[in-house]
């Protein structure tokens, strides 16, 4: 009695794994696009609300906070617009310093991240 030889895989194991990983990454990026667009819309609305609040005569008490919130929303809009532009150009999720893929977990946490955790840590240490 002879045991059947294990059937050879059509693709080498490594290549197959890469193929599956890149397909699932594309799926994750599609979800992240929705997150980015949703965050962009939210900051856009917040800026509009803050601008209206700024014209009210009784708004002076919270002026500092409103200015801080406005600045933060403007920065966020810049970051989100850049991330969406990169998505369209197919270079979203790539570290702008070392060009490696930023892990999906990091992008899920900070969709507008520009650097991988390693480069991010290196830049904040300076
Ligand atoms: Zn990097």
């Amino acid at each position: 009695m002879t045991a059947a030889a294990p059937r050879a895989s059509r693709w080498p194991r490594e290549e197959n794994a890469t193929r599956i990983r890149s397909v699932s990454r594309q799926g994750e990026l599609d979800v992240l696009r929705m997150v980015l667009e949703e965050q962009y819309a939210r900051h856009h609305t917040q800026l509009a609300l803050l601008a209206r609040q700024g014209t009210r005569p009784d708004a002076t008490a919270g002026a500092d906070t409103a200015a801080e919130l406005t600045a933060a929303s403007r920065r966020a809009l810049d970051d989100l617009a850049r991330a969406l532009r990169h998505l369209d150009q197919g270079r979203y999720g790539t570290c702008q310093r070392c060009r490696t893929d930023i892990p999906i977990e990091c992008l899920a946490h900070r969709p507008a991240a520009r650097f991988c955790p390693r480069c991010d840590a290196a830049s904040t240490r300076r």
Side-chain angles (χ1 to χ4, degrees):
M1 180 180 144
T2 50
R7 190 190 289 243
S9 172
R10 188 182 278 270
W11 291 291
R13 189 172 272 270
E14 272 304 303
E15 194 192 326
N16 220 4
T18 309
R19 191 187 313 262
I20 290 161
R21 203 182 306 133
S22 63
V23 166
S24 80
R25 186 169 171 92
Q26 188 52 53
E28 310 272 21
L29 294 183
D30 290 344
V31 174
L32 281 164
R33 177 189 290 276
M34 289 192 281
V35 174
L36 286 164
E37 284 171 348
E38 190 270 328
Q39 289 189 355
Y40 189 91
R42 189 151 42 84
H43 281 289
H44 202 267
T45 306
Q46 186 171 17
L47 266 185
L49 288 172
L50 286 165
R52 263 171 61 174
Q53 198 181 35
T55 60
R56 285 205 329 241
D58 63 341
T60 45
D64 282 354
T65 319
E68 283 164 21
L69 286 173
T70 301
S73 266
R74 286 221 174 95
R75 272 198 306 276
L77 277 179
D78 281 351
D79 287 348
L80 293 164
R82 195 201 54 249
L84 284 164
R85 199 169 58 237
H86 284 181
L87 254 176
D88 288 338
Q89 295 166 343
R91 50 197 190 105
Y92 173 75
T94 303
C95 175
Q96 289 185 10
R97 187 161 297 146
C98 70
R99 303 285 160 203
T100 60
D101 281 352
I102 301 172
I104 287 294
E105 311 85 75
C106 300
L107 292 171
H109 184 61
R110 275 175 54 200
R114 295 160 64 186
F115 304 109
C116 71
R118 208 159 142 197
C119 291
D120 203 34
S123 69
T124 49
R125 235 181 282 132
R126 257 175 236 139

